[in-house]
Amino acid sequence: ALSSYAPHESWVWVRKLLVLLLFGALIPLIVNTTDRWNLLAQIVVLSSVGIPVLLSITKLLDLWVQLGLRPALSYRLMLNELGRANLIARTLVTGGPLLVAQMLASSQRVLRILMWILAGLALGVLVACRSWGAWIAVALSGGFLVVLLHGHCYRTWWQEHLSPIVRVLLATTVLAGLGLSLSLALWWAPRANIESFNGRLVHARIALSELADHPWLGVGPGHHYSQAQYAGDVDWLLDTQSTLDHPGRTIELIRLYATMHTHNLFTEIGVGTGLLGLGAFVWLLIELLRSGLKNRAGLYGTARTLATGCLVGIVASIGWGILDVMEISPPLFSFPSWALIGLLLTCLLYTSPSP
């Protein structure tokens, strides 16, 4: 913040970060019983999943009355009460895994049925958001869950039942499949939404330029003033029929995205705080993951299921950050992500059959 282009905005960002850090640190001190843990977990699920679903249903019914059912279902969900569609999707993919964990851990049949209904409605809202970042988050967190639950079996099968040649061929096939999937996504993305695709290219080019000129301490977090000096040199854009029909839109697009946050969690932190801040953030994530996995191994039953939900939700939040970040708060450091971290820390402190 001391080296920031806009110290006042950066200090506001720092104060928000400190408040959220304090929030995450206080949870283990306050939530010291199983009942309190379950209560806070339910609050997290209701605020991150229940409220968006309730508001979405209200919005859908309102559109249905005004426009009819088919136009209402074709509408991309935008709730002014919660922000744009991507932000709604973020809360769902972050809190959703804890909802599923609670559903699996619950012994009350009626409560489980209600949770299944809420999970189904949340999936419908997620589809209505049409957020690429959300589905990337779902894919990464789903892959993480598969490795977490079955990684040991796969590793044993890999080592004991496959010859070296088959291992190489299988690894090559998997990598080729991932590369093909990425290529298809990059081919399809500009055709699906050229403005969003080009906007992220603008962000990437500006962010890399800023980071190259200010590698260690960055330009200061919480503001976007320094982007303007790089916007005039941006030419990394793709053309489709939409841009060819409206060539002036490219100029408008650069002006728009030169005053917005970078649509990537790691570049946003790197540009704002430099490589030193980015390194500290990556260390925090690695340490949290390492400690979480280590202590989860000592948990059993309900505690282990709920700890898994917290871990998967944190991974989903990071996965969503590949294509977007929070702007109203420091990237990643927002509710419910910090609530999940606090709950996970509580599970780590009480490595018993129940959290």
Side-chain angles (χ1 to χ4, degrees):
L2 292 175
S3 62
S4 173
Y5 275 62
H8 173 71
E9 282 82 353
S10 293
W11 281 116
V12 171
W13 187 93
V14 170
R15 289 198 296 270
K16 290 179 180 178
L17 178 59
L18 291 176
V19 169
L20 290 165
L21 285 170
L22 180 63
F23 171 71
L26 284 177
I27 290 179
L29 301 179
I30 299 173
V31 183
N32 52 10
T33 66
T34 301
D35 291 338
R36 289 185 178 182
W37 199 101
N38 289 329
L39 177 61
L40 181 57
Q42 290 168 3
I43 292 173
V44 171
V45 168
L46 288 175
S47 60
S48 62
V49 181
I51 292 177
V53 167
L54 178 62
L55 291 176
S56 300
I57 293 175
T58 304
K59 185 76 171 184
L60 176 62
L61 292 175
D62 180 57
L63 290 172
W64 187 358
V65 171
Q66 296 185 51
L67 305 176
L69 180 59
R70 182 175 294 181
L73 294 177
S74 63
Y75 171 82
R76 187 187 183 193
L77 192 60
M78 293 283 186
L79 291 173
N80 293 331
E81 299 83 356
L82 292 176
R84 297 174 64 86
N86 287 334
L87 300 186
I88 303 170
R90 177 187 183 273
T91 64
L92 293 175
V93 298
T94 303
L98 184 57
L99 168 64
V100 175
Q102 287 182 316
M103 182 171 60
L104 296 176
S106 177
S107 59
Q108 301 179 27
R109 183 177 181 182
V110 175
L111 184 58
R112 293 186 68 173
I113 293 174
L114 293 176
M115 288 182 176
W116 271 109
I117 294 173
L118 180 58
L121 293 173
L123 182 60
V125 172
L126 194 62
V127 172
C129 287
R130 302 178 190 174
S131 170
W132 284 62
W135 295 113
I136 289 178
V138 170
L140 290 178
S141 59
F144 172 79
L145 180 62
V146 170
V147 173
L148 188 63
L149 297 179
H150 306 291
H152 177 72
C153 296
Y154 293 150
R155 185 165 54 250
T156 301
W157 174 75
W158 178 274
Q159 295 173 349
E160 297 181 357
H161 297 86
L162 297 180
S163 65
I165 296 178
V166 174
R167 293 180 194 173
V168 172
L169 291 175
L170 184 59
T172 302
T173 302
V174 171
L175 291 176
L178 292 175
L180 178 61
S181 300
L182 180 60
S183 299
L184 290 174
L186 292 175
W187 174 83
W188 174 252
R191 291 161 176 80
N193 190 335
I194 185 60
E195 181 171 315
S196 178
F197 186 84
N198 275 341
R200 282 161 172 76
L201 290 182
V202 170
H203 283 150
R205 177 69 179 272
I206 292 177
L208 292 175
S209 299
E210 288 183 291
L211 193 57
D213 290 344
H214 307 276
W216 300 114
L217 298 178
V219 300
H223 75 89
H224 315 297
Y225 299 114
S226 59
Q227 297 183 16
Q229 61 184 306
Y230 301 96
D233 298 326
V234 172
D235 55 5
W236 187 10
L237 298 171
L238 296 182
D239 280 322
T240 65
Q241 194 60 47
S242 297
T243 58
L244 294 175
D245 290 341
H246 187 3
R249 182 58 178 159
T250 300
I251 300 174
E252 298 175 13
L253 182 71
I254 293 176
R255 288 178 177 175
L256 171 65
Y257 282 96
T259 58
M260 291 178 63
H261 59 285
T262 302
H263 281 60
N264 179 274
L265 174 62
F266 297 96
T267 56
E268 177 79 3
I269 293 177
V271 167
T273 62
L275 295 178
L276 294 177
L278 179 60
F281 176 67
V282 172
W283 172 83
L284 172 66
L285 295 179
I286 292 174
E287 184 62 22
L288 179 65
L289 180 62
R290 185 192 67 80
S291 300
L293 292 175
K294 178 181 177 181
N295 288 273
R296 175 187 172 276
L299 298 173
Y300 302 93
T302 299
R304 186 165 189 163
T305 301
L306 295 174
T308 301
C310 292
L311 279 167
V312 174
I314 294 170
V315 171
S317 182
I318 297 169
W320 181 86
I322 292 177
L323 286 185
D324 213 339
V325 296
M326 295 294 293
E327 190 175 21
I328 58 176
S329 67
L332 182 73
F333 306 102
S334 60
F335 188 89
S337 296
W338 268 115
L340 292 178
I341 291 174
L343 289 171
L344 182 60
L345 291 175
T346 308
C347 282
L348 304 184
L349 291 174
Y350 299 94
T351 52
S352 60
S354 59

